[in-house]
Amino acid sequence: MPVKKKLMQLTGVNKQSPYVKNHFYLTNMKSSIYMSVIVIVLEIWMIERMIRTIFEKDLGSKLESLIESYFSNYFMLLSAGTLMLLFALRALFNFRKTRWLAIAVILLSLSVVVFEIRMITQFGGSSKSTADLINYLILFSASVVMICFSVVLMLDRKEKKWHSLCVMYVFSFCCINFGIIMSVHSFAKGDQILTFLTMELFVICLLIWRPWIGFLVLTVSYGVFYYRISGIIDISTVERIDGIIDLNTARIGLGDGVKINGFTMWLSTLLFCIANYSRTMSQGLKDENLEQVNTYLSKISIFDELTGIHNMVHFRTESEKMLSYVTTDKENSVFLFMDIENFKSYNEKYGFTEGNELLKKTAKIIDETFTGSLVSRFSDDHFVVYTKLDGCKEKISEISVKIHNMQREVHLELKCGAYKPAENDTDASLACDRARFACNTIKKHYHNHFRFYDKKLEEKFRLKQYIVNNIDTAISNDYIKVFYQPIVSTKDGSICGLEALARWNDPKYGLLPPGMFIDTLEEYRQIHKLDQTIIEIVCRDYRQAADEGKPFVPASINFSRLDFELFNVVEFLGSMTEKYRVPKNFIDVEITESALTDQQDFLQKSVDNLRSAGYKVWLDDFGSGYSSLNVLKDYQFDVLKIDMKFLSGFGSNDKAAPILKNIVELTRQLDLVSLTEGVETEQQFEFLRSIGCNRAQGYLFSKPCPKEELYEKVTEGKLKISEEYENK
Ligand code: C2E
Ligand code: MG
Ligand code: MG
């Protein structure tokens, strides 16, 4: 650190942050309490001693001189100490019962003022020195100032820092003045100058916030004291009033020893000043850092970093508090869950930065529209609000219009689910879940942007909760089954593959199709449990068939995008195929097109890894999303499974046939096997064959069913297994 900067820091000339300033202020107020209490006790003791002296001895005409030399100083210091104590107590503890003490200070100071006016007016005719006059003036002015601040204290309700600091200066000044007067007397008597030294130390303890001010005060006071005692040259002519010395007559010289001691004392008090300041400063900085970290932590714990609005932690605690208040009008309150439909496509098209901007703007719109309500970002493009029921639909429409106006080439639409809490509801998370559930039911329903959670949804919601809570039991109790649906070759209609489709055979709900549990398991990141079970069942079925000498064809298994995040698919498949001794070409991997549109590198790698490990990778539901062609460009597949929506329009929509034809043509050019799903009629099958589609799957051949049923159909001759696999 440069010398100049270091010097500035040591002497306290540098700039201090508001926090450090306040830290010094409070430290000063704390030491003021100690110092003022000591001063008050001392002065009361001294006054009591003096009063006793007056009564015990007949001092007659010298009484006035006694009062002049001592009483005024004691009174002044007592009132300064009391005033300081009152200000410090107010600053630190907000102590406000100060009226009577302030009046006492006013009376004390007033008596000093009256006495000093008398002394000043009589000064011309007396034999007093200029030093005496200065002392009268000092006592007079200090007392007037104290009266003023006592009045301020009585009138002023609110603490003002500069008031307390002024009082501290006055108090310090009174202490030093007292120290000088007393010690000059003691010195003249040949006694120690302890009062002066004590008062200097008092003041250093008080004036810690700027060493240079301390230097100044100390140096001036040492100078004055030195000047005063160096004037005393002869103690033999001292006139004494019961041990009290008249300084006009007292004279004593200053030896070298006294000079050196004085200098050393001055120097050490200065160093003490710096040490005290540095210690308090570093403590202040440490506290400031800690405070900053705490503020930051408490901020990020309740605010969403991206949008700046509150996060779910805050939402949950606050809404639960509100739910628990008896005063909350639950009847007229509602939980809203909002979702921006197609946000993912927007993100994909314009990138994350633009996506984030959109989220920030949306958060701002929602926050402003629901000012005064509890608004938070739930996650991704989801927001939650706890607000009044009245007018909420109108506000949602307002937001919906604004979001719609922000759209570019990607269509954006606000979807909002609402849940009215019941009288006994206390769980905010559950309320949000219900609102979210209502919101999800209107997704992909164009122009329908608001839905209340009602009785109809309640049953569905219960099932969803049941799924999440029971997936582990379902797996361990073998409720999860695999139904197989044949995939046939268009050449001869023989089975060349089986798609493994999950079913949940539940004792309470019966046979559940995947549509009733896949999305929920994905939402709660539990899908890997199901898919691992399916993989194991398929491998086990293969082994059983092989052991029983029955034919088996390659089975394709559906994977969720999340599977690739939640477990090592290649490793798991490897361990299962090894455990059940399944050749790798008997397991195909189906990944749905929408899973791949997120442009995540790790998915590309996973697809490559699967292929290099020997598995065929199929692109499922081709044509169902927005970026079908991009997916084809970015990933390498073996089979292209054309979405059934192309066939569903077949016959009624003239464009369906040419589109299908072109897709099949494209597949051929890319050297992929083409497969069309959803084949329900002979006519459709014929058409597929005519355009050169390699494989077909659909109800025409068989609905998905347990493997036993399939074997029966084969035995009955309703289905035929491809020659390639028949004898395996
Ligand atoms: P998907 O992979 O596209 O499966 C084809 C779906 O179309 C199956 O529905 C099947 O029953 C149905 N389907 C087949 N032929 C026809 C037809 O001719 N007409 C009509 N209308 N439908 C037909 P399912 O079994 O309900 O499965 C639905 C979706 O659930 C599957 O679509 C797949 O994406 C997912 N899924 C199924 N099993 C699993 C699984 O084990 N894991 C994962 N992650 N997803 C699975
Ligand atoms: Mg599939
Ligand atoms: Mg499909």
Side-chain angles (χ1 to χ4, degrees):
M1 193 187 290
V3 183
K4 192 179 156 199
K5 208 171 165 197
K6 185 80 199 162
L7 260 173
M8 279 172 73
Q9 208 180 55
L10 281 178
T11 50
V13 190
N14 57 336
K15 217 171 167 278
Q16 289 168 346
S17 69
Y19 184 91
V20 172
K21 264 189 199 161
N22 191 46
H23 178 76
F24 272 111
Y25 171 71
L26 294 177
T27 316
N28 281 336
M29 286 300 120
K30 256 182 235 162
S31 21
S32 300
I33 290 192
Y34 304 128
M35 298 305 148
S36 52
V37 169
I38 296 171
V39 165
I40 292 168
V41 172
L42 270 176
E43 296 320 304
I44 291 176
W45 182 48
M46 294 307 287
I47 292 170
E48 189 267 344
R49 225 181 62 153
M50 286 316 300
I51 292 174
R52 216 155 355 107
T53 317
I54 294 169
F55 283 109
E56 280 168 9
K57 295 177 184 165
D58 180 19
L59 295 170
S61 62
K62 284 168 186 158
L63 185 64
E64 191 163 296
S65 179
L66 186 79
I67 294 173
E68 177 205 331
S69 305
Y70 289 93
F71 263 109
S72 305
N73 285 304
Y74 293 158
F75 275 29
M76 178 196 62
L77 210 54
L78 180 61
S79 41
T82 313
L83 194 64
M84 181 74 260
L85 182 66
L86 297 181
F87 270 91
L89 286 175
R90 191 174 71 158
L92 289 173
F93 309 110
N94 204 16
F95 181 73
R96 298 200 171 270
K97 294 192 174 118
T98 50
R99 181 177 295 253
W100 291 110
L101 283 168
I103 292 175
V105 173
I106 293 175
L107 290 177
L108 271 176
S109 306
L110 213 57
S111 66
V112 179
V113 168
V114 171
F115 187 78
E116 297 312 322
I117 290 176
R118 207 171 138 240
M119 295 310 291
I120 294 166
T121 48
Q122 289 172 0
F123 182 74
S126 68
S127 58
K128 303 289 176 194
S129 66
T130 328
D132 288 321
L133 182 65
I134 293 173
N135 194 33
Y136 300 149
L137 288 170
I138 287 175
L139 289 172
F140 170 79
S141 340
S143 301
V144 170
V145 174
M146 278 186 288
I147 291 171
C148 295
F149 275 108
S150 305
V151 175
V152 164
L153 189 71
M154 285 169 69
L155 300 179
D156 210 26
R157 299 269 118 222
K158 240 180 106 192
E159 177 207 355
K160 285 195 184 87
K161 281 185 184 162
W162 73 269
H163 286 169
S164 312
L165 289 176
C166 280
V167 171
M168 198 172 76
Y169 273 115
V170 175
F171 178 53
S172 308
F173 182 76
C174 291
C175 287
I176 289 178
N177 188 50
F178 181 80
I180 294 176
I181 292 170
M182 291 299 146
S183 288
V184 167
H185 281 285
S186 307
F187 190 78
K189 275 198 297 177
D191 287 346
Q192 305 278 352
I193 52 163
L194 287 177
T195 318
F196 174 69
L197 297 180
T198 313
M199 289 304 165
E200 291 294 306
L201 286 175
F202 265 32
V203 172
I204 313 170
C205 291
L206 282 176
L207 305 180
I208 27 178
W209 78 105
R210 290 284 185 195
W212 68 267
I213 298 179
F215 291 176
L216 210 70
V217 174
L218 292 178
T219 310
V220 170
S221 61
Y222 266 89
V224 171
F225 183 64
Y226 182 82
Y227 172 75
R228 296 276 318 261
I229 56 172
S230 61
I232 304 167
I233 42 174
D234 187 1
I235 198 153
S236 58
T237 56
V238 164
E239 194 183 322
R240 286 167 185 269
I241 314 160
D242 190 42
I244 302 160
I245 294 141
D246 182 349
L247 287 178
N248 296 316
T249 53
R251 296 286 181 267
I252 195 168
L254 281 186
D256 279 349
V258 175
K259 284 180 190 166
I260 292 168
N261 279 342
F263 177 74
T264 323
M265 190 63 205
W266 169 76
L267 206 61
S268 16
T269 36
L270 289 193
L271 293 179
F272 183 77
C273 233
I274 294 180
N276 209 358
Y277 170 78
S278 306
R279 209 191 49 234
T280 316
M281 178 74 155
S282 63
Q283 187 59 42
L285 289 174
K286 229 187 272 169
D287 288 0
E288 186 180 24
N289 282 344
L290 232 115
E291 179 88 8
Q292 277 169 351
V293 171
N294 276 345
T295 318
Y296 175 72
L297 285 179
S298 59
K299 194 170 172 235
I300 60 164
S301 69
I302 60 162
F303 284 100
D304 174 55
E305 226 175 325
L306 175 70
T307 59
I309 65 169
H310 283 114
N311 63 14
M312 272 318 279
V313 177
H314 178 79
F315 186 85
R316 226 168 273 138
T317 41
E318 290 309 304
S319 56
E320 274 176 12
K321 264 190 228 161
M322 286 160 96
L323 284 179
S324 68
Y325 296 151
V326 270
T327 45
T328 305
D329 181 11
K330 281 191 196 167
E331 274 284 292
N332 188 28
S333 73
V334 67
F335 281 87
L336 302 174
F337 184 96
M338 287 171 232
D339 183 355
I340 311 169
E341 188 144 27
N342 291 333
F343 173 73
K344 284 202 175 68
S345 312
Y346 188 94
N347 230 356
E348 244 165 59
K349 191 163 169 74
Y350 301 109
F352 278 118
T353 321
E354 292 286 308
N356 284 348
E357 279 312 305
L358 179 73
L359 286 180
K360 281 190 219 168
K361 280 185 201 154
T362 309
K364 195 162 175 259
I365 293 172
I366 299 175
D367 203 30
E368 282 171 1
T369 314
F370 284 100
T371 321
S373 303
L374 211 51
V375 179
S376 291
R377 181 170 171 221
F378 187 89
S379 63
D380 312 318
D381 55 333
H382 305 145
F383 298 87
V384 279
V385 177
Y386 182 52
T387 186
K388 273 191 196 154
L389 184 63
D390 292 340
C392 83
K393 253 182 148 176
E394 290 71 24
K395 285 181 179 165
I396 291 295
S397 303
E398 236 175 80
I399 299 173
S400 177
V401 171
K402 285 181 184 163
I403 288 181
H404 191 77
N405 289 343
M406 285 197 293
Q407 77 180 24
R408 287 145 85 173
E409 277 161 53
V410 174
H411 174 77
L412 294 175
E413 205 176 287
L414 179 80
K415 298 286 175 191
C416 177
Y419 173 70
K420 270 195 287 179
E423 206 35 59
N424 54 354
D425 275 354
T426 50
D427 187 343
S429 305
L430 196 61
C432 288
D433 272 357
R434 286 181 164 133
R436 179 185 200 167
F437 191 72
C439 177
N440 286 347
T441 58
I442 47 169
K443 274 191 181 168
K444 306 221 160 61
H445 288 57
Y446 193 62
H447 280 329
N448 186 359
H449 61 249
F450 191 86
R451 165 92 200 243
F452 262 115
Y453 180 88
D454 51 24
K455 281 230 162 66
K456 252 196 246 165
L457 291 186
E458 175 72 15
E459 191 42 43
K460 284 188 185 167
F461 184 71
R462 279 191 197 291
L463 174 68
K464 183 177 161 176
Q465 281 189 312
Y466 181 82
I467 301 273
V468 183
N469 296 335
N470 289 281
I471 176 70
D472 294 319
T473 324
I475 291 172
S476 56
N477 288 359
D478 282 339
Y479 298 158
I480 303 298
K481 306 281 176 205
V482 171
F483 275 29
Y484 292 97
Q485 186 178 31
I487 294 162
V488 302
S489 158
T490 49
K491 261 191 240 147
D492 55 3
S494 64
I495 303 175
C496 58
L498 292 173
E499 178 169 16
L501 294 158
R503 298 289 182 268
W504 179 321
N505 195 5
D506 191 76
K508 185 171 167 197
Y509 286 96
L511 193 69
L512 298 171
M516 298 191 82
F517 53 86
I518 299 280
D519 285 351
T520 306
L521 292 176
E522 282 185 339
E523 190 183 323
Y524 288 85
R525 297 175 77 88
Q526 303 284 308
I527 188 72
H528 60 295
K529 294 181 178 171
L530 174 90
D531 287 344
Q532 287 180 343
T533 310
I534 302 294
I535 295 171
E536 175 141 27
I537 298 175
V538 170
C539 290
R540 208 170 50 212
D541 285 348
Y542 170 87
R543 174 78 350 245
Q544 197 188 351
D547 289 348
E548 289 172 7
K550 287 182 180 165
F552 205 85
V553 294
S556 58
I557 300 173
N558 291 285
F559 282 80
S560 159
R561 185 185 65 84
L562 276 179
D563 286 332
F564 296 93
E565 280 179 37
L566 296 170
F567 70 102
N568 187 331
V569 175
V570 179
E571 215 175 89
F572 188 82
L573 277 172
S575 69
M576 284 298 133
T577 47
E578 202 178 311
K579 183 175 171 189
Y580 295 100
R581 285 173 287 130
V582 184
K584 290 198 169 136
N585 60 340
F586 268 74
I587 301 290
D588 298 330
V589 173
E590 283 194 28
I591 306 174
T592 182
E593 180 198 283
S594 58
L596 302 164
T597 51
D598 278 358
Q599 299 224 323
Q600 286 159 342
D601 279 354
F602 82 93
L603 267 176
Q604 237 160 353
K605 271 197 203 103
S606 303
V607 170
D608 291 345
N609 289 346
L610 278 166
R611 295 187 78 243
S612 32
Y615 306 100
K616 293 222 164 54
V617 181
W618 298 17
L619 175 61
D620 199 359
D621 304 328
F622 176 78
S624 62
Y626 292 96
S627 341
S628 311
L629 294 174
N630 275 349
V631 171
L632 274 188
K633 188 163 65 62
D634 297 335
Y635 295 82
Q636 189 61 53
F637 300 100
D638 301 284
V639 176
L640 192 86
K641 216 172 172 188
I642 302 160
D643 196 70
M644 63 182 78
K645 81 167 176 213
F646 292 104
L647 269 193
S648 64
F650 190 80
S652 58
N653 186 341
D654 291 348
K655 288 182 188 150
I659 290 175
L660 262 173
K661 200 171 166 203
N662 276 307
I663 296 175
V664 170
E665 181 57 33
L666 176 73
T667 319
R668 202 179 2 254
Q669 281 165 7
L670 292 173
D671 228 4
L672 303 175
V673 173
S674 53
L675 191 168
T676 305
E677 47 184 345
V679 183
E680 292 181 354
T681 61
E682 278 293 347
Q683 189 203 2
Q684 289 171 342
F685 186 48
E686 256 328 298
F687 171 72
L688 291 175
R689 201 202 305 260
S690 72
I691 60 171
C693 178
N694 307 111
R695 298 180 189 180
Q697 176 186 353
Y699 293 167
L700 175 67
F701 316 105
S702 167
K703 284 195 171 179
C705 59
K707 67 177 191 307
E708 292 75 18
E709 252 181 62
L710 275 185
Y711 280 119
E712 260 172 47
K713 285 183 189 167
V714 172
T715 322
E716 287 166 10
K718 290 182 187 156
L719 288 172
K720 186 174 155 322
I721 294 181
S722 161
E723 280 171 16
E724 203 184 329
Y725 304 103
E726 210 167 16
N727 304 319
K728 297 253 161 148

